[in-house]
Amino acid sequence: GARDRRIVLSLLTVLFSATALSLAYVGTLDCHYVSFTSTHEEYEVKAGIWSYLNYTYENGDSVISESCQTYPTDVDIDATWKAARAFSVLAVIFGSILFLFSLVVVYQTVTERRFSTGGCDTISLFLTGIFQGLCLLFLGGNGCKNVQTGQIPDLFRDSCVISTGAKCSMASAMFWSLASLMNMQLDIERQRARVIPLTADITSPLIFSK
């Protein structure tokens, strides 16, 4: 019935939001957003919006460990890169709040509590998807054009390609959009649930007692 549809839609919103938020965390915090290959294809550097992949070598040759490290202070973080960082923070903050709110919506839907957000949650989910997508501005900044992580930068020439983090970021934007669509349909179903009882009251016959 209509109630079951509302419950399914609310659960789908939670599922898509949880998936989008998880991917957003990976895309934002991971240092595998983009990768660079040297001109001789002997070395590879991976970098993220906030950190880069640092290798520890043994005898200057064999890699014994790797870990994400923050960028050195001398790295030139231009306006485009800073914008990508700002949008990544907005996406994670908004996404976390909206995910928690979607759990509340499920509870209110199951218990049939009447409430209205005026479509603000749907708009917010869509905006979060836009914020997540705008993290890709990193590809147009110094982070992708000018490798300065201290790891043989002279060998890298126009080799910046998207890696795991960027792919997760794009997938996250898609799932935020799906969550927005599910939530929009849920709003429509809730409005129908409010209109039908009102219509029934208006069209019911009037009975006068003598």
Side-chain angles (χ1 to χ4, degrees), residues 20-200:
L21 183 59
S22 300
L23 291 168
Y25 272 109
V26 173
T28 300
L29 302 178
D30 190 49
C31 56
H32 297 72
Y33 203 86
V34 294
S35 63
F36 306 84
T37 305
S38 70
T39 52
H40 301 292
E41 298 184 357
E42 296 175 356
Y43 304 97
E44 185 179 43
V45 168
K46 292 187 177 181
I49 297 176
W50 296 92
S51 59
Y52 70 96
L53 186 63
N54 182 59
Y55 297 100
T56 301
Y57 297 93
E58 183 178 17
N59 298 324
D61 186 14
S62 302
V63 176
I64 59 175
S65 67
E66 57 184 49
S67 61
C68 292
Q69 300 287 335
T70 56
Y71 288 98
T73 55
D74 59 343
V75 171
D76 179 22
I77 301 177
D78 61 353
T80 305
W81 191 344
K82 290 178 181 178
R85 284 187 165 188
F87 284 122
S88 70
V89 172
L90 288 174
V92 169
I93 292 176
F94 272 72
S96 300
I97 295 173
L98 289 168
F99 170 67
L100 294 176
F101 183 76
S102 66
L103 295 176
V104 176
V105 171
V106 170
Y107 169 75
Q108 292 177 320
T109 303
V110 171
T111 57
E112 295 189 306
R113 294 175 182 268
R114 294 194 175 187
F115 68 98
S116 176
T117 60
C120 292
D121 49 345
T122 299
I123 296 173
S124 297
L125 286 166
F126 184 73
L127 284 176
T128 304
I130 293 178
F131 293 153
Q132 190 63 54
L134 287 173
C135 292
L136 294 171
L137 286 171
F138 178 76
L139 302 177
N142 282 347
C144 200
K145 292 181 178 179
N146 186 17
V147 186
Q148 295 182 11
T149 62
Q151 298 193 42
I152 49 175
D154 293 336
L155 294 178
F156 298 89
R157 295 285 183 254
D158 301 324
S159 62
C160 179
V161 294
I162 62 173
S163 188
T164 307
K167 292 176 182 178
C168 286
S169 188
M170 290 186 284
S172 176
M174 181 190 70
F175 276 105
W176 283 126
S177 299
L178 289 174
S180 176
L181 289 174
M182 293 300 102
N183 202 76
M184 181 175 64
Q185 186 61 38
L186 177 60
D187 287 338
I188 294 173
E189 292 290 336
R190 285 200 296 251
Q191 290 175 3
R192 287 176 180 171
R194 288 193 293 267
V195 170
I196 291 176
L198 179 61
T199 306

